Amino acid sequence: MAARAEQGGAGRGGAGSGKEKRAGGPGATAHVTGKMAVFPWHSRGRNYKAEFASCRLEAVPLEFGDYHPLKPITVTESKTKKVSRKGSTSSTSSSSSSSVVDPLSSVLDGTDPLSMFAATADPAAPDSSRKRRDRDENSIVGSDFEPWASKRGEILARYTTTEKLSINLFMGSEKGKVTATSAMSEKVRTRLEELDDFEEGSQKELLNLTQQDYVNRIEELNQSLKDAWASDQKVKALKIVIQCSKLLSDTSVIQFYPSKFVLITDILDTFGKLVYERIFSMCVDNRSVLPDHFSPENVNDTAKETCLNWFFKIASIRELIPRFYVEASILKCNKFLSKTGISECLPRLTCMIRGIGDPLVSVYARAYLCRVGMEVAPHLKESLNKNFFDFLLTFKQIHGDTVQNQLVVQGVELPSYLPLYSPAMDWIFQCISYHAPEALLTEMMERCKKLGNNALLLNSVMSAFRAEFIATRSMDFIGMIKECDESGFPKDYVNCAEVWVEYTCKHFTKREVNTVLADVIKHMTPDRAFEDSYPQLQSIIKKVIAHFHDFSVLFSVEKFLPFLDMFQKESVRVEVCKCIMEVFIKHQQEPTKDPVILNALLHVCKTMHDSVNALTLEDEKRMLAYLINGFIKMVSFGRDFEQQLSFYVEARSMFCNLEPVLVQLIHSVNRLAMETRKVMKGNHSRKTAAFVRACVAYCFITIPSLVGIFTRLNLYLHSGQVALANQCLSQADAFFKAAISLIPEVPKTINIDGKMRPSESFLLEFLCNFFSTLLIVPDHPEHGVLFLVRELLNVIQDYTWEDNSDDKIRIYTCVLHLLSAMSQETYLYHIDKVDSNDSLYGGDTKFLAENNKLCETVMAQILEHLKTLAKDEALKRQSSLGLSFFNSILAHGDLRNNRLNQLSVNLWHLAQRHGCADTRTMVKTLEYIKKRSKHPDMGHLSELALRLPLQTRT
């Protein structure tokens, strides 16, 4: 720094010496200003310490009493009673739980308008009644009963197909809109004819649909149902439901049947809800509303007639399966007709299922009946038990010739066919066993034994029965498992291992976990069997990392990494790596330098990084970068800074395709340089000075590889600040020059979250930050006075700004603030052990003269721009900019100079000339000037205030 000061002696005592021939010297002024007139500038001398002192808040002594703003607030409760029903007035009574006065309540004279509103509201509001009614009806089924909704997603994910599907779409017609007739029998006949028309061909079959296309079509039908209902086309809505129900008789793509059942019953649930709410709404009028637990006597005749009409229409459906499903969907509506309606319908519907020949279709029909039954009448367990025992009687049909022939036609093996029953059987067993007495569970267990301990049946029994029931009879179940017939439903090894590994992780050490993993590898490696069991293997990994939060222990499990090698499919391997990194980021509390952890996680992160290609979505890139950055942040070698830098160098080579990771590495290296400075307390040794220069070089080399223009600009600035703080002056100049040379490349628009946004506001923000840094950057002895400021001004002048934009002038105003700060004897802030220009030049007159020339040049640019705004459409901008420039002169200029004083008066008049100025702002500005004029050395502002009139609007 001393060498720089000596070589800059010309800069200190001869600012206009021979260095001016470069573009950055004073000769560049003509490039900025052209032949415009030059206006004088005299910066106001600043005493920053005195200004800070004057801005401090006045200290007020605090008396500690009962009151404290952080004490809990005591709220006064106001109770309102309605005294008279007939009168127009009501009296209120208030009771307070505390004598402390609430200032908000006191304003209301003890009455709270919200409480009054709630007290006078109609207690029989339909919405609240319906919510209470639904809650009461479902109160018998507790939170320990797993709802169907929790099983839905698992079924859809598990039962998929690649085969082509078909669907029948209802072709709507104007017949769907029923016109009113005088005779009720004529209306019924018309609607029955419409249903016949539907069944006789008013539909279109779509073939060769993929699974996703099929799902989309079903969702379209669901929406069509809602639309038809909303437009009062009830018959059309019924046709759609019938059509969808018919799809449940189709088992042509049998592997997809469980998922099809889920999709279709969603539509049935929607239909049942719409019908029930329609009938219920007919029971509500302005005078009465059904109570929470209503009886059929509370239902009016119109609602009953409508309800019966729905049941009659459904009874006229010819085919068994759609008739069963549609009636089951509106089972709850029997409550409007009779008290015993549901209990009478359930056995009848159970008997209807006996007419369904296909055992797979039959078992899912029973599952739907159990589902509806548990929702509307969970107390009617006898009917549900009958449904179950009917199922057991027909269970042997699964192995009959009809099913076997169907499987041969579709090319489906029995081990693939039998698991299709599991969702329905599991649900049936769950409903029957819920809060069932021991005797019933024992009877069910004995019946399973009589059926030969069938593996499929036994699996569902153990899934549904209470854990304590299974535990007390564990030896009996083990015997049944040993003797069960597993043909067609084999004991799957990997599924067993999936369960056992969780048990081992919970109750044993890493040694036993390693044994289980080794056994899985042994079984799954031959013939690449792991390729068919990726979901189960993923589940095993998730269970292991869920219990091993100490990654030094996890990676010391010998077979853990070989287990990861079984994930050969890239997409699956990446998902597993993401799961590992998510757990690491969540549970790793302290930074680590453990080589085992670092090597393993570097491999994991490298796997994620290498999956990125041109087709990878931006969201996926962000997620991967977030996980890798989380790992990088948790690596620390303590005081071994050189090893830390070596790690960052290795990471840069491994993760070069993810820009956010490179950005994180640059920030990490900058932080490493600052930590070195902190350790050395700013006094670098030869070794540490060389080290921080290496850090600076790392950043300088890495930044150009980034794509984002503003990312590069901000990193050049940030890294330059770090270099400056570490007394690497030449390197800091290089960063700042690189930033200046990059500004012309800033495009007019940039992509922000997928949308194109104008870039000027971001450029303005960056330049303001840049100016704040340039205040403390010392001049280079070979580049003349304020060479960085001059280069930056030339770039700003040459940049192509948007039409109708004032950002260029706002930037020039910021430059004026910077130059004014540079003319002070002592700068506002400094960097320790770095001499800024206030120390180098020491208030040299030639330096101040060069500074003032630049100020005049910038002022000329601002005033020239103000002249161009003298047009009708730009007058408001002219007024705003004029007032802004006036405030800048007021804050930074020496208004004792007559010409500068006169310029400020002219700007004041310009701001008000066309009535565009905000009067309130002008008044406050004038008040501020008058207040400032009372300060010492500010008396000249009094005269200025007299010359600043306020324009009145008439």
Side-chain angles (χ1 to χ4, degrees):
M1 199 64 243
R4 168 174 282 206
E6 288 176 6
Q7 295 178 12
R12 203 183 255 269
S17 58
K19 309 294 187 298
E20 299 176 359
K21 294 181 180 179
R22 282 181 54 91
T29 304
H31 173 66
V32 178
T33 63
K35 297 182 179 180
M36 291 183 295
V38 177
F39 293 87
W41 176 264
H42 295 269
S43 298
R44 178 169 67 89
R46 306 288 291 272
N47 185 339
Y48 293 119
K49 291 184 179 179
E51 290 184 27
F52 281 139
S54 66
C55 292
R56 286 200 186 102
L57 295 177
E58 181 183 355
V60 178
L62 178 63
E63 295 181 3
F64 294 96
D66 293 335
Y67 170 76
H68 192 278
L70 298 183
K71 272 189 174 181
I73 298 175
T74 305
V75 179
T76 302
E77 180 183 3
S78 175
K79 297 181 179 179
T80 305
K81 294 182 180 179
K82 196 169 183 179
V83 176
S84 175
R85 294 184 181 178
K86 296 181 180 180
S88 58
T89 60
S90 62
S91 62
T92 61
S93 62
S94 301
S95 63
S96 174
S97 58
S98 172
S99 61
V100 179
V101 177
D102 178 6
L104 298 180
S105 297
S106 63
V107 174
L108 301 171
D109 296 329
T111 59
D112 177 7
L114 295 180
S115 301
M116 294 175 64
F117 175 79
T120 58
D122 183 4
D127 289 343
S128 59
S129 296
R130 182 163 63 249
K131 290 178 181 177
R132 287 198 305 272
R133 183 181 64 253
D134 293 341
R135 183 170 63 248
D136 292 340
E137 289 175 350
N138 295 329
S139 60
I140 300 177
V141 179
S143 58
D144 56 337
F145 184 83
E146 185 179 4
W148 173 259
S150 64
K151 300 176 179 293
R152 182 182 182 278
E154 180 183 351
I155 295 173
L156 291 174
R158 181 178 177 185
Y159 297 96
T160 60
T161 184
T162 57
E163 295 186 33
K164 298 299 182 181
L165 302 161
S166 62
I167 190 172
N168 292 325
L169 280 180
F170 167 63
M171 304 300 291
S173 65
E174 290 302 317
K175 292 183 179 181
K177 298 180 181 179
V178 181
T179 57
T181 58
S182 57
M184 181 58 67
S185 58
E186 183 65 23
K187 180 189 292 187
V188 173
R189 187 182 304 110
T190 301
R191 293 185 174 178
L192 291 178
E193 289 174 355
E194 290 171 355
L195 292 177
D196 289 340
D197 174 63
F198 164 71
E199 294 185 354
E200 290 172 2
S202 60
Q203 50 188 322
K204 176 183 178 182
E205 186 174 19
L206 297 179
L207 304 175
N208 298 322
L209 298 177
T210 64
Q211 177 180 319
Q212 187 57 49
D213 291 337
Y214 190 91
V215 172
N216 293 340
R217 297 296 182 184
I218 295 296
E219 291 176 352
E220 289 176 9
L221 286 172
N222 199 354
Q223 187 59 44
S224 298
L225 167 64
K226 297 176 182 177
D227 294 342
W229 192 272
S231 59
D232 203 29
Q233 299 183 56
K234 303 297 189 296
V235 173
K236 180 179 178 181
L238 178 59
K239 290 179 181 181
I240 293 173
V241 176
I242 294 172
Q243 169 200 351
C244 293
S245 302
K246 282 186 175 183
L247 296 175
L248 292 175
S249 62
D250 176 23
T251 58
S252 56
V253 183
I254 203 163
Q255 301 97 322
F256 186 63
Y257 192 85
S259 292
K260 181 197 291 187
F261 172 80
V262 170
L263 296 170
I264 299 301
T265 51
D266 284 348
I267 297 179
L268 288 165
D269 293 342
T270 300
F271 177 73
K273 183 178 179 181
L274 290 172
V275 173
Y276 184 86
E277 291 181 352
R278 164 66 176 160
I279 298 173
F280 186 85
S281 66
M282 300 176 70
C283 303
V284 180
D285 54 32
N286 295 329
R287 295 170 297 173
S288 63
V289 64
L290 286 180
D292 292 340
H293 300 284
F294 67 88
S295 63
E297 290 78 13
N298 303 123
V299 180
N300 58 44
D301 292 341
T302 304
K304 285 184 178 180
E305 182 182 352
T306 303
C307 186
L308 281 171
N309 191 26
W310 276 109
F311 280 108
F312 289 154
K313 280 189 281 190
I314 292 170
S316 67
I317 300 174
R318 297 176 182 178
E319 296 184 26
L320 173 62
I321 291 178
R323 186 169 70 250
F324 162 78
Y325 273 107
V326 179
E327 182 175 355
S329 70
I330 66 165
L331 179 66
K332 188 177 180 180
C333 295
N334 280 282
K335 293 174 61 177
F336 296 108
L337 301 177
S338 68
K339 294 181 179 179
T340 59
I342 294 177
S343 60
E344 292 171 355
C345 281
L346 278 174
R348 180 172 56 79
L349 291 172
T350 301
C351 293
M352 285 175 64
I353 300 176
R354 296 176 181 175
I356 301 176
D358 191 311
L360 183 64
V361 178
S362 171
V363 74
Y364 276 94
R366 296 185 189 280
Y368 186 68
L369 187 60
C370 285
R371 215 180 101 192
V372 176
M374 287 298 288
E375 289 177 1
V376 302
H379 56 284
L380 298 177
K381 297 297 282 291
E382 291 184 4
S383 298
L384 299 180
N385 293 345
K386 181 181 179 182
N387 185 24
F388 166 72
F389 292 131
D390 265 12
F391 162 71
L392 290 182
L393 291 173
T394 59
F395 182 74
K396 292 185 178 180
Q397 290 181 349
I398 295 176
H399 300 281
D401 293 338
T402 303
V403 172
Q404 298 301 320
N405 293 337
Q406 183 184 18
L407 296 183
V408 171
V409 171
Q410 295 198 29
V412 177
E413 298 292 334
L414 195 62
S416 301
Y417 172 70
L418 290 182
L420 301 177
Y421 286 81
S422 293
M425 291 175 60
D426 290 350
W427 179 256
I428 293 172
F429 276 88
Q430 178 182 329
C431 295
I432 302 303
S433 62
Y434 183 67
H435 289 180
E438 289 276 316
L440 177 60
L441 298 180
T442 304
E443 180 185 357
M444 293 168 67
M445 187 173 171
E446 292 300 322
R447 293 208 179 200
C448 291
K449 287 182 180 179
K450 291 180 181 179
L451 289 174
N453 292 332
N454 183 276
L456 175 65
L457 198 61
L458 193 56
N459 188 66
S460 294
V461 167
M462 290 189 292
S463 298
F465 280 20
R466 297 194 302 271
E468 57 270 22
F469 182 88
I470 300 291
T472 55
R473 296 166 177 79
S474 56
M475 296 306 297
D476 293 339
F477 276 102
I478 289 174
M480 293 170 67
I481 293 171
K482 185 177 181 180
E483 297 174 4
C484 75
D485 176 19
E486 60 178 281
S487 61
F489 196 79
K491 299 166 185 173
D492 192 308
Y493 168 80
V494 72
N495 288 336
C496 295
E498 183 182 352
V499 176
W500 275 104
V501 75
E502 183 176 14
Y503 175 74
T504 309
C505 290
K506 282 183 178 179
H507 304 291
F508 294 90
T509 65
K510 69 173 186 177
R511 176 174 172 272
E512 288 76 18
V513 173
N514 188 64
T515 302
V516 175
L517 294 181
D519 196 62
V520 175
I521 294 173
K522 176 183 175 182
H523 279 81
M524 303 306 293
T525 303
D527 300 323
R528 298 178 68 86
F530 53 77
E531 293 182 346
D532 299 323
S533 304
Y534 281 140
Q536 292 86 352
L537 295 178
Q538 279 182 270
S539 177
I540 290 174
I541 283 289
K542 289 179 180 178
K543 289 174 180 177
V544 171
I545 62 179
H547 291 87
F548 283 85
H549 296 162
D550 187 343
F551 275 71
S552 61
V553 175
L554 176 65
F555 289 125
S556 65
V557 175
E558 181 183 356
K559 295 299 180 180
F560 182 77
L561 292 178
F563 192 95
L564 292 181
D565 292 337
M566 287 196 295
F567 295 99
Q568 299 290 317
K569 188 176 180 181
E570 184 182 63
S571 60
V572 179
R573 184 169 67 250
V574 171
E575 286 302 316
V576 171
C577 291
K578 286 163 66 175
C579 291
I580 294 173
M581 293 310 303
E582 286 171 356
V583 173
F584 176 79
I585 292 172
K586 181 178 180 181
H587 296 287
Q588 185 71 23
Q589 301 296 328
E590 298 294 332
T592 182
K593 62 177 180 180
D594 188 327
V596 175
I597 296 178
L598 297 187
N599 290 332
L601 290 185
L602 276 174
H603 171 72
V604 170
C605 291
K606 178 66 172 171
T607 300
M608 295 191 299
H609 170 270
D610 292 348
S611 68
V612 175
N613 54 47
L615 301 179
T616 305
L617 298 176
E618 289 301 319
D619 286 345
E620 178 69 8
K621 289 181 182 179
R622 276 194 290 268
M623 182 61 183
L624 296 178
Y626 164 76
L627 295 174
I628 296 174
N629 285 343
F631 164 62
I632 291 173
K633 292 175 184 177
M634 294 304 298
V635 176
S636 174
F637 291 89
R639 287 291 184 90
D640 192 349
F641 291 159
E642 291 183 350
Q643 183 65 29
Q644 189 82 33
L645 182 59
S646 298
F647 169 77
Y648 291 144
V649 171
E650 182 182 4
R652 180 177 62 184
S653 65
M654 296 179 69
F655 308 127
C656 56
N657 290 332
L658 288 173
E659 183 159 316
V661 178
L662 295 179
V663 172
Q664 177 60 45
L665 287 171
I666 293 170
H667 284 306
S668 298
V669 171
N670 278 328
R671 185 170 60 249
L672 185 62
M674 295 305 292
E675 288 176 2
T676 306
R677 178 181 183 271
K678 181 179 179 181
V679 169
M680 300 302 295
K681 298 180 180 178
N683 298 310
H684 284 299
S685 65
R686 180 176 304 217
K687 182 178 180 180
T688 60
F691 176 75
V692 295
R693 284 196 295 270
C695 293
V696 169
Y698 178 103
C699 298
F700 194 77
I701 293 171
T702 309
I703 292 174
S705 63
L706 304 177
V707 176
I709 186 78
F710 282 100
T711 302
R712 281 182 281 163
L713 284 171
N714 287 306
L715 284 175
Y716 274 133
L717 177 58
H718 182 219
S719 301
Q721 292 167 345
V722 171
L724 198 61
N726 284 280
Q727 301 142 47
C728 301
L729 303 182
S730 298
Q731 289 83 352
D733 286 347
F735 278 114
F736 298 143
K737 286 181 180 179
I740 292 172
S741 65
L742 192 59
I743 291 174
E745 299 178 19
V746 174
K748 295 295 175 288
T749 57
I750 56 174
N751 190 314
I752 303 293
D753 296 331
K755 296 181 180 180
M756 301 307 294
R757 307 285 190 189
S759 63
E760 286 192 4
S761 60
F762 298 94
L763 182 58
L764 176 61
E765 179 184 1
F766 166 75
L767 289 173
C768 289
N769 292 334
F770 199 0
F771 297 148
S772 299
T773 302
L774 290 180
L775 173 63
I776 52 175
V777 177
D779 279 344
H780 195 284
E782 298 179 0
H783 294 153
V785 179
L786 303 179
F787 73 101
L788 286 176
V789 178
R790 294 176 185 276
E791 288 185 13
L792 186 54
L793 282 172
N794 288 337
V795 169
I796 294 170
Q797 175 67 17
D798 292 337
Y799 186 79
T800 305
W801 299 89
E802 290 287 339
D803 297 335
N804 301 322
S805 170
D806 300 320
D807 285 336
K808 181 179 180 180
I809 303 307
R810 293 190 178 95
I811 291 171
Y812 280 147
T813 304
C814 293
V815 173
L816 200 61
H817 301 166
L818 167 64
L819 294 173
S820 177
M822 283 182 164
S823 67
Q824 304 301 316
E825 290 185 7
T826 302
Y827 288 172
L828 178 59
Y829 45 85
H830 296 86
I831 290 181
D832 188 32
K833 296 181 175 58
V834 174
D835 291 333
S836 298
N837 285 340
D838 57 343
S839 299
L840 292 181
Y841 292 108
D844 182 80
T845 55
K846 292 185 178 181
F847 168 74
L848 295 178
E850 290 294 329
N851 185 293
N852 287 339
K853 285 181 181 179
L854 280 179
C855 290
E856 292 164 3
T857 300
V858 172
M859 286 177 63
Q861 290 283 338
I862 296 173
L863 295 174
E864 183 65 24
H865 183 77
L866 286 173
K867 291 179 183 178
T868 64
L869 298 180
K871 302 174 184 177
D872 291 343
E873 66 275 9
L875 293 177
K876 191 168 184 178
R877 290 166 52 202
Q878 185 188 56
S879 172
S880 176
L881 286 177
L883 183 59
S884 175
F885 190 26
F886 171 86
N887 287 327
S888 295
I889 295 175
L890 181 64
H892 300 280
D894 186 356
L895 290 174
R896 289 173 294 190
N897 179 274
N898 292 333
R899 295 184 65 185
L900 197 59
N901 191 295
Q902 182 59 47
L903 176 61
S904 65
V905 173
N906 293 343
L907 289 170
W908 179 268
H909 286 287
L910 179 66
Q912 299 185 99
R913 179 174 300 166
H914 301 284
C916 297
D918 179 53
T919 304
R920 186 177 178 185
T921 303
M922 304 300 288
V923 170
K924 287 191 173 183
T925 303
L926 188 56
E927 289 175 353
Y928 169 74
I929 295 172
K930 292 177 180 178
K931 184 178 180 181
R932 282 276 307 277
S933 67
K934 298 177 182 179
H935 291 190
D937 302 327
M938 289 292 173
H940 58 281
L941 293 182
S942 300
E943 182 184 351
L944 174 65
L946 297 175
R947 301 174 63 195
L948 302 178
L950 287 173
Q951 185 179 27
T952 58
R953 296 185 182 181
T954 58

